[in-house]
Amino acid sequence: MRVPVLIVGGGYAGLSAATMLAWRGVPVLLVERHASTSLQPKAFGVNMRAMELLRPVPGLEKELSGIWQGIGDSMRIAVASSLTDPEPNILFDTSAVPFPTHLSPAPDLGAPQAEVERVLRAKAEELGADLRFSTEFVSLEQDDDGVTALIRAEDGTETTVLADYVIAADGYRSRLRAQLGIPTSGRGVLNHLQAIMFDADLSTLVNEREVTLWYLQRPEFTGVFITGTGVGAHVLGVTYEGEPDPDCEKLVRLGVGVPDLDVTVLDTATFPTAHVLADRYREGRVFLAGDAAHTMPPTGGQGGSTALQDGCDLAWRLWLVITGQAGPRFLDSYDAERRPIGKLTADAQLANLGFRMPPAQRVDYPAPLEDPFAALLGYRYHSFAILAEPGEDGSLLEDPRTPDGRPGGRAAHVVLDWDGRRISTHDLFGSGFVLLAGPYGQAWVDAGRAVRDQLGLRLAPHRIGGELLDVDEVWLERYGVSKSGAVLVRPDGFIAWRSPGADLDPAGTLERVLLQILALW
């Protein structure tokens, strides 16, 4: 069989890529060796940035938000000796310090990976993606014309797949990464975690509609306790060396702090806590995503969202190349842009591990981020697909609370009025490039239409002050242009280029900009 994109792995990275490719009309085949999506909650939470990338798919934001609405109203994170510790060290409490939701139209979704994967799988299949569970990747060969891969179904039937590109989203033990000989760096395996999913009456210890995440520091073990995840059970994660302790009920009672607690163990699993970074994200026609690209400790909760962003990011880049809107070299921008962010996020979670779960503390661990929120919405990209301005300092982070519209940064959320309907600037992004011009920038709008037709590019030009009204009159400031300027925003909502003011030849300038960004020279 032949397909434009083969995805190996049905976790966050693979399912998000399949969903976004199928939504864009790109046929995709996904193979996953397990029989279904995750049963254990696993990663918890989907941050605003990942939700911004997923929400253009009709109905998806509502379905994902429905998970959180069924779980709780708040979340607390603390370091403690047990769930009954009278003096926990509270690290995060949404009931006391609300999340800055005004910076994004997307919600910060407190939902377990098991439920998010279920929704993504259903949406991908609804959109026409071919998802094959209980099917494993065996091997591949590639050349300048494409990839030849061998997959094997549960009954032993083998199928040869011809693909233009392959996404390796096959986890921290990535067979594809190993077959391609891609080296890795990082601290390696740090410890092992035994995840115990159990049922017990904790109604007197936790609020019914609150997610409780306790990092446990005990003489017997360090670990993590999670309740309120919406999967009908609680989870205790216990670090161990050698072999896991088979007495799961004892471990749960220690973690909860109630010696005679009635416990029913529902499921157990073991996996390593690791810090492993691929030295490159691309090998020919194969691209690494998720844990195959960056395995990180769970301390900080951003590993899942980073994997989702990888899948979404690859989808729009592959779509542009497969449909001829960008040249093949455009795909080099994936490694240049995503790998530094993967390392930054993994290092930040490694720093958190040393603080929250001793004895993991090491003097040579990375320093914690001064502003963790900047890494959620304020990370920046640098590649040939971003036309930097004079004075660019190459920084990876900026404060998303005070956006200035520099190329390489995320386009700010601004409330607009479109024919009496309130929308966000982000409601314009996702399906193609967007050119936003100032009130006196009609020449840019006209140029956008002309260049769009000339290049055969999905591009929507808009004038702020024309059909779109700036409700709070902040667009010019947050995008850093004058009333005659213009800003080019990519499908991922990042600013690729801007002109602070008018131009004598707007069509010529815009054409040169797009040819460079899309590697069409």
Side-chain angles (χ1 to χ4, degrees), residues 390-417:
E392 170 60 54
D393 60 7
S395 59
L396 284 180
L397 295 177
E398 64 184 5
D399 188 347
R401 305 169 190 86
T402 56
D404 60 10
R406 281 184 298 163
R410 165 184 165 273
H413 160 58
V414 172
V415 178
L416 303 173
D417 183 296

mmCIF file of all heavy atoms in Angstrom, residues 390-417:
data_model
loop_
_atom_site.group_PDB
_atom_site.id
_atom_site.type_symbol
_atom_site.label_atom_id
_atom_site.label_comp_id
_atom_site.label_asym_id
_atom_site.label_seq_id
_atom_site.Cartn_x
_atom_site.Cartn_y
_atom_site.Cartn_z
ATOM 1 N N PRO A 390 16.907 43.029 12.427
ATOM 2 C CA PRO A 390 18.184 43.508 12.987
ATOM 3 C C PRO A 390 18.100 43.617 14.503
ATOM 4 O O PRO A 390 17.088 44.049 15.061
ATOM 5 C CB PRO A 390 18.343 44.883 12.336
ATOM 6 C CG PRO A 390 17.561 44.806 11.063
ATOM 7 C CD PRO A 390 16.394 43.922 11.365
ATOM 8 N N GLY A 391 19.157 43.171 15.163
ATOM 9 C CA GLY A 391 19.185 43.221 16.617
ATOM 10 C C GLY A 391 18.625 41.995 17.297
ATOM 11 O O GLY A 391 18.558 41.939 18.536
ATOM 12 N N GLU A 392 18.203 40.988 16.512
ATOM 13 C CA GLU A 392 17.678 39.756 17.093
ATOM 14 C C GLU A 392 18.731 39.118 17.998
ATOM 15 O O GLU A 392 19.864 38.900 17.592
ATOM 16 C CB GLU A 392 17.280 38.782 15.981
ATOM 17 C CG GLU A 392 16.945 37.379 16.448
ATOM 18 C CD GLU A 392 15.788 37.356 17.423
ATOM 19 O OE1 GLU A 392 14.719 37.895 17.090
ATOM 20 O OE2 GLU A 392 15.974 36.790 18.514
ATOM 21 N N ASP A 393 18.354 38.812 19.243
ATOM 22 C CA ASP A 393 19.306 38.288 20.214
ATOM 23 C C ASP A 393 19.336 36.767 20.293
ATOM 24 O O ASP A 393 20.143 36.192 21.032
ATOM 25 C CB ASP A 393 19.019 38.864 21.612
ATOM 26 C CG ASP A 393 17.618 38.525 22.115
ATOM 27 O OD1 ASP A 393 16.914 37.743 21.446
ATOM 28 O OD2 ASP A 393 17.233 39.034 23.180
ATOM 29 N N GLY A 394 18.480 36.101 19.542
ATOM 30 C CA GLY A 394 18.497 34.647 19.536
ATOM 31 C C GLY A 394 17.932 34.000 20.780
ATOM 32 O O GLY A 394 18.110 32.800 20.988
ATOM 33 N N SER A 395 17.229 34.747 21.602
ATOM 34 C CA SER A 395 16.704 34.204 22.851
ATOM 35 C C SER A 395 15.629 33.155 22.577
ATOM 36 O O SER A 395 14.883 33.243 21.607
ATOM 37 C CB SER A 395 16.126 35.323 23.714
ATOM 38 O OG SER A 395 15.084 35.998 23.022
ATOM 39 N N LEU A 396 15.542 32.157 23.476
ATOM 40 C CA LEU A 396 14.540 31.115 23.340
ATOM 41 C C LEU A 396 13.247 31.434 24.072
ATOM 42 O O LEU A 396 12.236 30.786 23.840
ATOM 43 C CB LEU A 396 15.099 29.783 23.875
ATOM 44 C CG LEU A 396 16.105 29.044 22.989
ATOM 45 C CD1 LEU A 396 16.552 27.758 23.677
ATOM 46 C CD2 LEU A 396 15.522 28.746 21.621
ATOM 47 N N LEU A 397 13.279 32.413 24.967
ATOM 48 C CA LEU A 397 12.094 32.736 25.750
ATOM 49 C C LEU A 397 11.841 34.232 25.757
ATOM 50 O O LEU A 397 12.773 35.029 25.718
ATOM 51 C CB LEU A 397 12.258 32.252 27.199
ATOM 52 C CG LEU A 397 12.367 30.744 27.440
ATOM 53 C CD1 LEU A 397 12.596 30.468 28.918
ATOM 54 C CD2 LEU A 397 11.123 30.024 26.943
ATOM 55 N N GLU A 398 10.558 34.578 25.802
ATOM 56 C CA GLU A 398 10.142 35.953 26.027
ATOM 57 C C GLU A 398 8.955 35.931 26.970
ATOM 58 O O GLU A 398 8.344 34.875 27.201
ATOM 59 C CB GLU A 398 9.768 36.638 24.710
ATOM 60 C CG GLU A 398 8.569 36.036 24.007
ATOM 61 C CD GLU A 398 8.281 36.685 22.664
ATOM 62 O OE1 GLU A 398 9.066 37.533 22.225
ATOM 63 O OE2 GLU A 398 7.258 36.324 22.047
ATOM 64 N N ASP A 399 8.610 37.061 27.526
ATOM 65 C CA ASP A 399 7.498 37.137 28.457
ATOM 66 C C ASP A 399 6.196 37.239 27.664
ATOM 67 O O ASP A 399 5.942 38.262 27.022
ATOM 68 C CB ASP A 399 7.655 38.347 29.380
ATOM 69 C CG ASP A 399 6.620 38.371 30.499
ATOM 70 O OD1 ASP A 399 5.633 37.608 30.424
ATOM 71 O OD2 ASP A 399 6.793 39.160 31.443
ATOM 72 N N PRO A 400 5.344 36.208 27.672
ATOM 73 C CA PRO A 400 4.109 36.276 26.885
ATOM 74 C C PRO A 400 3.110 37.285 27.424
ATOM 75 O O PRO A 400 2.125 37.597 26.749
ATOM 76 C CB PRO A 400 3.564 34.848 26.993
ATOM 77 C CG PRO A 400 4.105 34.330 28.284
ATOM 78 C CD PRO A 400 5.468 34.956 28.431
ATOM 79 N N ARG A 401 3.365 37.812 28.625
ATOM 80 C CA ARG A 401 2.470 38.826 29.198
ATOM 81 C C ARG A 401 2.659 40.173 28.527
ATOM 82 O O ARG A 401 1.770 41.031 28.567
ATOM 83 C CB ARG A 401 2.716 38.955 30.697
ATOM 84 C CG ARG A 401 2.610 37.634 31.476
ATOM 85 C CD ARG A 401 3.140 37.808 32.887
ATOM 86 N NE ARG A 401 3.289 36.551 33.613
ATOM 87 C CZ ARG A 401 4.343 35.756 33.572
ATOM 88 N NH1 ARG A 401 5.378 36.070 32.778
ATOM 89 N NH2 ARG A 401 4.392 34.647 34.276
ATOM 90 N N THR A 402 3.842 40.376 27.907
ATOM 91 C CA THR A 402 4.150 41.643 27.231
ATOM 92 C C THR A 402 4.690 41.366 25.831
ATOM 93 O O THR A 402 5.856 41.641 25.538
ATOM 94 C CB THR A 402 5.169 42.458 28.045
ATOM 95 O OG1 THR A 402 6.352 41.651 28.258
ATOM 96 C CG2 THR A 402 4.591 42.872 29.384
ATOM 97 N N PRO A 403 3.892 40.805 24.938
ATOM 98 C CA PRO A 403 4.364 40.467 23.590
ATOM 99 C C PRO A 403 4.683 41.718 22.782
ATOM 100 O O PRO A 403 4.043 42.758 22.949
ATOM 101 C CB PRO A 403 3.178 39.708 22.997
ATOM 102 C CG PRO A 403 1.987 40.248 23.716
ATOM 103 C CD PRO A 403 2.456 40.520 25.119
ATOM 104 N N ASP A 404 5.690 41.588 21.902
ATOM 105 C CA ASP A 404 6.069 42.744 21.082
ATOM 106 C C ASP A 404 6.018 42.449 19.583
ATOM 107 O O ASP A 404 6.357 43.307 18.777
ATOM 108 C CB ASP A 404 7.464 43.234 21.467
ATOM 109 C CG ASP A 404 8.552 42.181 21.290
ATOM 110 O OD1 ASP A 404 8.268 41.122 20.686
ATOM 111 O OD2 ASP A 404 9.687 42.410 21.755
ATOM 112 N N GLY A 405 5.634 41.232 19.197
ATOM 113 C CA GLY A 405 5.436 40.929 17.785
ATOM 114 C C GLY A 405 6.689 40.612 17.013
ATOM 115 O O GLY A 405 6.658 40.563 15.775
ATOM 116 N N ARG A 406 7.807 40.349 17.686
ATOM 117 C CA ARG A 406 9.025 40.005 16.953
ATOM 118 C C ARG A 406 8.844 38.693 16.198
ATOM 119 O O ARG A 406 8.256 37.746 16.718
ATOM 120 C CB ARG A 406 10.202 39.845 17.909
ATOM 121 C CG ARG A 406 10.843 41.127 18.388
ATOM 122 C CD ARG A 406 12.052 40.801 19.244
ATOM 123 N NE ARG A 406 11.681 40.033 20.444
ATOM 124 C CZ ARG A 406 12.555 39.346 21.183
ATOM 125 N NH1 ARG A 406 13.827 39.295 20.820
ATOM 126 N NH2 ARG A 406 12.148 38.696 22.265
ATOM 127 N N PRO A 407 9.379 38.600 14.969
ATOM 128 C CA PRO A 407 9.366 37.319 14.263
ATOM 129 C C PRO A 407 10.047 36.248 15.111
ATOM 130 O O PRO A 407 11.060 36.486 15.758
ATOM 131 C CB PRO A 407 10.150 37.611 12.985
ATOM 132 C CG PRO A 407 9.915 39.064 12.736
ATOM 133 C CD PRO A 407 9.902 39.688 14.104
ATOM 134 N N GLY A 408 9.461 35.066 15.100
ATOM 135 C CA GLY A 408 9.968 33.965 15.914
ATOM 136 C C GLY A 408 9.172 33.741 17.173
ATOM 137 O O GLY A 408 9.313 32.706 17.823
ATOM 138 N N GLY A 409 8.325 34.697 17.533
ATOM 139 C CA GLY A 409 7.496 34.560 18.718
ATOM 140 C C GLY A 409 6.068 34.193 18.364
ATOM 141 O O GLY A 409 5.614 34.355 17.220
ATOM 142 N N ARG A 410 5.351 33.719 19.361
ATOM 143 C CA ARG A 410 3.942 33.370 19.190
ATOM 144 C C ARG A 410 3.131 34.647 19.007
ATOM 145 O O ARG A 410 3.302 35.622 19.724
ATOM 146 C CB ARG A 410 3.462 32.605 20.424
ATOM 147 C CG ARG A 410 1.966 32.478 20.590
ATOM 148 C CD ARG A 410 1.632 31.796 21.905
ATOM 149 N NE ARG A 410 0.241 31.948 22.278
ATOM 150 C CZ ARG A 410 -0.256 32.959 22.965
ATOM 151 N NH1 ARG A 410 0.545 33.948 23.373
ATOM 152 N NH2 ARG A 410 -1.541 33.019 23.267
ATOM 153 N N ALA A 411 2.239 34.642 18.025
ATOM 154 C CA ALA A 411 1.357 35.787 17.799
ATOM 155 C C ALA A 411 0.422 35.953 18.994
ATOM 156 O O ALA A 411 -0.165 34.988 19.484
ATOM 157 C CB ALA A 411 0.541 35.581 16.522
ATOM 158 N N ALA A 412 0.320 37.169 19.467
ATOM 159 C CA ALA A 412 -0.455 37.427 20.681
ATOM 160 C C ALA A 412 -1.949 37.246 20.457
ATOM 161 O O ALA A 412 -2.478 37.482 19.363
ATOM 162 C CB ALA A 412 -0.176 38.847 21.172
ATOM 163 N N HIS A 413 -2.622 36.851 21.524
ATOM 164 C CA HIS A 413 -4.084 36.788 21.541
ATOM 165 C C HIS A 413 -4.642 38.201 21.680
ATOM 166 O O HIS A 413 -4.330 38.917 22.628
ATOM 167 C CB HIS A 413 -4.534 35.919 22.717
ATOM 168 C CG HIS A 413 -5.946 36.127 23.143
ATOM 169 N ND1 HIS A 413 -7.022 35.948 22.293
ATOM 170 C CD2 HIS A 413 -6.471 36.507 24.347
ATOM 171 C CE1 HIS A 413 -8.143 36.194 22.955
ATOM 172 N NE2 HIS A 413 -7.849 36.544 24.193
ATOM 173 N N VAL A 414 -5.429 38.636 20.711
ATOM 174 C CA VAL A 414 -6.094 39.936 20.731
ATOM 175 C C VAL A 414 -7.559 39.706 20.374
ATOM 176 O O VAL A 414 -7.869 38.963 19.440
ATOM 177 C CB VAL A 414 -5.445 40.923 19.733
ATOM 178 C CG1 VAL A 414 -6.265 42.205 19.634
ATOM 179 C CG2 VAL A 414 -4.012 41.236 20.141
ATOM 180 N N VAL A 415 -8.447 40.339 21.117
ATOM 181 C CA VAL A 415 -9.883 40.184 20.862
ATOM 182 C C VAL A 415 -10.292 41.064 19.687
ATOM 183 O O VAL A 415 -10.002 42.266 19.657
ATOM 184 C CB VAL A 415 -10.709 40.546 22.110
ATOM 185 C CG1 VAL A 415 -12.201 40.426 21.820
ATOM 186 C CG2 VAL A 415 -10.319 39.641 23.280
ATOM 187 N N LEU A 416 -10.969 40.453 18.718
ATOM 188 C CA LEU A 416 -11.425 41.157 17.523
ATOM 189 C C LEU A 416 -12.946 41.056 17.410
ATOM 190 O O LEU A 416 -13.562 40.127 17.930
ATOM 191 C CB LEU A 416 -10.787 40.549 16.269
ATOM 192 C CG LEU A 416 -9.258 40.509 16.216
ATOM 193 C CD1 LEU A 416 -8.803 39.727 14.985
ATOM 194 C CD2 LEU A 416 -8.671 41.914 16.199
ATOM 195 N N ASP A 417 -13.500 42.019 16.697
ATOM 196 C CA ASP A 417 -14.921 41.989 16.367
ATOM 197 C C ASP A 417 -15.035 41.756 14.859
ATOM 198 O O ASP A 417 -14.559 42.560 14.056
ATOM 199 C CB ASP A 417 -15.600 43.306 16.748
ATOM 200 C CG ASP A 417 -17.101 43.290 16.479
ATOM 201 O OD1 ASP A 417 -17.486 43.182 15.297
ATOM 202 O OD2 ASP A 417 -17.875 43.394 17.440
#
